[in-house]
Amino acid sequence: MLASARGSGRPLVVLHGFGVDHRIMLPLEQTTGDLPWRRLYFDLPWAEGAPGSTAASALDVADEVIADIRALLGDEPFALLGQSFGGMLARHVAHELRAQVLGLATIAGVVEADHSARRVPDRTVLVVEPAALDLAGDALEDFTAAHVVQTTETLTAFMTSVLPGEQGSDQTVLDRIAEHYGLPVQPEVAHPQPFTAPSLHLFGRQDDVVGYEDGWLLREHYPRGTYAVLDTAGHGVHLERPALTGALIRDWLERVDDVRPAAAGSGVG
């Protein structure tokens, strides 16, 4: 479901992670707001205010996203940016609609759906500002669990961009989808020909939720891919390292701009 549209130009479809809503992605407006891209922020089925959905698996959610994109854009070329669970969905959509996709970016994207099989670093909190912890109030536990950089800046981002989506999520829908959290086949396996449009795969070095090593294993499938693992960043990498995240996203979109539309989705998917 389209939750918010900003700007003008070529479409950039933005997909958020599990248990939150599109607001977690809005801080990226500081990066993309002046670029000639129409940012289309989607809400996934559990988001507050989302229309009724029967989705009971990641594949169901991905199919709904594809249907919404087709209804909204038809055959218009677009780029995709996904965060966490939304990154996994973005990879699926990018391969299913490859001829239409100008580029793909993932932020802390899920690659290994089975939590117990993920290769993740030990939990390490690197920066703590006591003032931020004092200000967190009832959100302290959620905030400290979500961030390895615990400053007043990340607290503000969490309180405005993350917590509202968590609190508004429909737990019944989340529980239903969580039973089939992973895609039945990895997109890169279902569509083995390398994905040749410009891509970005951004991870946090201290991300103990999805890690970065599983994503690194896909590097040969993305010959136009930038892989970046940012130190002093966890699963909330785009909130903890906003300037560097922003620079990498701008670089990715500039690389997409440099590709002629007819060649951007080359390859058979």
Side-chain angles (χ1 to χ4, degrees):
M1 178 188 73
L2 179 64
S4 178
R6 312 246 178 137
S8 61
R10 289 192 285 181
L12 171 60
V13 173
V14 185
L15 305 176
H16 61 78
F18 201 72
V20 292
D21 66 16
H22 76 280
R23 285 172 285 192
I24 196 173
M25 306 303 284
L26 291 180
L28 297 178
E29 282 293 302
Q30 299 177 32
T31 295
T32 59
D34 65 330
L35 298 177
W37 287 86
R38 185 165 86 254
R39 285 89 62 199
L40 305 174
Y41 293 92
F42 278 36
D43 267 343
L44 298 178
W46 54 82
E48 185 175 14
S53 168
T54 59
S57 68
L59 184 59
D60 288 346
V61 179
D63 287 344
E64 288 188 2
V65 169
I66 289 175
D68 287 345
I69 289 173
R70 284 174 168 157
L72 189 65
L73 299 178
D75 59 0
E76 183 179 1
F78 65 95
L80 274 165
L81 191 162
Q83 178 257 344
S84 191
F85 180 84
M88 180 176 68
L89 298 183
R91 288 169 36 236
H92 176 85
V93 174
H95 285 76
E96 291 294 317
L97 303 181
R98 186 188 297 224
Q100 194 175 344
V101 173
L102 299 168
L104 167 69
T106 64
I107 298 175
V110 170
V111 173
E112 174 54 66
D114 182 350
H115 288 66
S116 66
R118 293 174 181 173
R119 286 175 287 186
V120 301
D122 293 335
R123 174 73 175 168
T124 305
V125 176
L126 294 180
V127 181
V128 178
E129 287 184 2
L133 304 186
D134 292 339
L135 290 170
D138 293 341
L140 177 62
E141 184 176 351
D142 288 340
F143 170 60
T144 55
H147 291 285
V148 302
V149 177
Q150 299 169 6
T151 64
T152 54
E153 289 81 6
T154 54
L155 175 64
T156 298
F158 177 79
M159 297 293 283
T160 59
S161 304
V162 182
L163 191 61
E166 289 183 345
Q167 294 175 333
S169 291
D170 186 327
Q171 192 61 48
T172 300
V173 177
L174 286 170
D175 290 344
R176 189 171 68 225
I177 295 170
E179 289 294 316
H180 302 282
Y181 180 89
L183 294 167
V185 182
Q186 290 273 29
E188 296 80 9
V189 174
H191 305 275
Q193 184 169 344
F195 185 88
T196 58
S199 63
L200 168 66
H201 311 272
L202 176 63
F203 303 94
R205 180 64 176 84
Q206 286 78 35
D207 185 346
D208 62 327
V209 177
V210 304
Y212 58 88
E213 293 189 62
D214 294 316
W216 178 242
L217 295 176
L218 299 177
R219 63 192 181 276
E220 296 303 327
H221 188 79
Y222 296 95
R224 292 290 317 278
T226 290
Y227 277 78
V229 181
L230 305 190
D231 181 42
T232 321
H235 196 55
V237 55
H238 72 293
L239 304 178
E240 295 173 330
R241 300 298 303 276
L244 190 48
T245 296
L248 288 164
I249 290 175
R250 290 184 73 94
D251 171 79
W252 165 61
L253 289 173
E254 288 169 1
R255 289 188 287 122
V256 172
D257 284 335
D258 288 340
V259 176
R260 293 180 180 275
S266 61
V268 177

